[in-house]
Amino acid sequence: MTQQPLRDERRPANEGRRAAARNRAALVAAAREVYAESGLDAPLSAVARRAGVGQGVLYRHFPDRATVATAVLEENVRQIEQAAATDGAGLADVLGVLTWHQAESAAFVGMLHAKGAAGGSAVPPYAVALSVRVERALRVLLPARHPLAAEEGDLMIAVAMVSGAVTGAGRERRTHRALAAWRLLGVDVGPVRPFDDGTG
Amino acid sequence: MTQQPLRDERRPANEGRRAAARNRAALVAAAREVYAESGLDAPLSAVARRAGVGQGVLYRHFPDRATVATAVLEENVRQIEQAAATDGAGLADVLGVLTWHQAESAAFVGMLHAKGAAGGSAVPPYAVALSVRVERALRVLLPARHPLAAEEGDLMIAVAMVSGAVTGAGRERRTHRALAAWRLLGVDVGPVRPFDDGTG
């Protein structure tokens, strides 16, 4: 009588966990698409809709906007850090990876405004923290005589300037405008591509 | 019996017109403040609240978001056009006026993204039209050997880049970042000030 149908009990639990993992992955993928198109101001309801789940499911995985945005932007920032940590990488190579992500994602572009925007306006702390990581990755590779090395804030002002130029729809158009902006700044940029750590 | 109290009828009508004019002026002033702080995405309810009128009054004067925004941005654009039309004005002088308005107003900065952002994304037509007027005013003063004269789109890409740099709160900080951006572009900018047509 105390014999419980253990397997049957375990199976639904496992299925529940698998379904939860599937939902989370679908939500992150949906958020990546929605934020890339519309920026970080896109409503969370659009993310849930794109993922094909209810808003309750979204809130169970991501209690607030910051946790969704961090899950999505973390990957952009990690690629830039990895590119910067690669043996023999120069600033131009890392700027190529940065530019790829600027062309890809309106959310990433919005994040790069964040640090500059700090001070008074409502900049989410996660965006500032991620932007600081980008700055750190670039700064270690900045040569002393680089056009962006003259004054303390120039490096990230230039990144914000390129972000300002990267508007409109379509990767080709956005890449073209980003490269025109770097050219106007007199800054060399390597191939525009995502970082490939060789494990893919 | 058909003698109507004409004066009494007229007086309320005049008072009504005066009240309407006062409301409209209060709404434009409020919209200017709200948009300067928060950009063109600020809700119209915030404009009505700041003006101290109900939303019904707002909608009576401005049937949609575009008419409010145009009423506010028109003045920024007009000052740039007037600066460009002044005898002996050079590009640097007009860029000084442009930079003053960029430091003043997040809405104006947002508008200057508009033309670049066109193509697929939801850019309001009034913003594109006003941005085109800014471009026209600047372009007639662009010397052939200017750093922004090399390629067709460079002039407005540079304006979008400076707009990208002008983030954060406070005129001093925003002006400082705008001037750093123009310096990185190698572009001379005259005194940062509003246009004074001498009639003020």
Side-chain angles (χ1 to χ4, degrees), chain A residues 136-153:
Chain A
R136 208 174 291 147
L138 297 176
R139 192 169 291 285
V140 292
L141 296 173
L142 186 68
R145 292 178 168 281
H146 193 273
L148 302 181
E151 294 197 19
E152 175 67 24

Side-chain angles (χ1 to χ4, degrees), chain A residues 113 116 119 154 164 167 169 173 183, chain B residues 113 116 119 154 164 167 169 173 181 183:
Chain A
H113 280 279
D154 284 357
T167 51
R173 177 197 165 85
R183 168 175 55 77
Chain B
H113 280 280
D154 283 358
T167 51
R173 177 198 167 82
R183 169 175 53 76

Side-chain angles (χ1 to χ4, degrees), chain B residues 5-40:
Chain B
L6 278 176
R7 281 184 72 193
D8 281 348
E9 238 180 25
R10 254 187 244 122
R11 201 185 278 149
N14 281 342
E15 275 169 15
R17 272 195 291 278
R18 275 196 296 272
R22 272 198 309 273
N23 280 342
R24 191 185 192 283
L27 281 164
V28 171
R32 186 176 305 283
E33 289 174 20
V34 168
Y35 287 168
E37 290 161 16
S38 310
L40 292 169

